[in-house]
Amino acid sequence: MLLSGQVEPVVILEDSDDDFDTVCEAIRRMGIGPEVCRVTDGDACLTLLSQRTAQLPALVILDLNAPGTDGRETLRRIKLDPAVQRVPVVILTTSTNPRDLDLCYLYGANAYHTKPVRYPDHLRAVEVILRYWLGDVTRASSVVHAS
């Protein structure tokens, strides 16, 4: 069951308007209300995460083939940064390259999903990802505690 009153944001690194719209449609259909923070390149994603000092996002969804700093390097930097490394990072990409899969898990990805080609399948896949990460699992606290 999804958490009601979801307040933690979801950060999405996605340069495709159509794929981003699919994520938004899944959120709308599910009746959940997280703030969705879209970035279109890895540098913007890393900057956004570094600015979230009071509360971390509930989830980061990365497309590997983003312009500039791509999703692979963005993932690596997220998981090396003690301030944000506990945030779940899910890869949602068109890449079926086994090297990408291995690299992403080596860098600390929490899950790797290949985007389905057909819209209804893509929409269902996004709903499964969101349901799992925003409702089914128990996540670490999103509040940053001062040391």
Side-chain angles (χ1 to χ4, degrees), residues 70-82:
D70 69 10
R72 296 161 197 83
E73 180 62 14
T74 302
L75 168 65
R76 186 184 75 78
R77 291 186 195 175
I78 289 170
K79 293 303 183 175
L80 287 175
D81 183 346

Side-chain angles (χ1 to χ4, degrees), residues 44-106:
C45 184
L46 294 167
T47 298
L48 177 69
L49 290 173
S50 71
Q51 293 171 347
R52 290 209 163 266
T53 56
Q55 186 178 47
L56 297 173
L59 177 66
V60 174
I61 300 174
L62 296 179
D63 179 13
L64 294 183
N65 300 314
T69 300
D70 69 10
R72 296 161 197 83
E73 180 62 14
T74 302
L75 168 65
R76 186 184 75 78
R77 291 186 195 175
I78 289 170
K79 293 303 183 175
L80 287 175
D81 183 346
V84 294
Q85 66 187 182
R86 70 175 182 238
V87 175
V89 178
V90 173
I91 306 304
L92 183 59
T93 184
T94 57
S95 176
T96 58
N97 186 331
R99 289 181 181 168
D100 282 336
L101 177 70
D102 290 344
L103 185 68
C104 286
Y105 281 119
L106 178 68

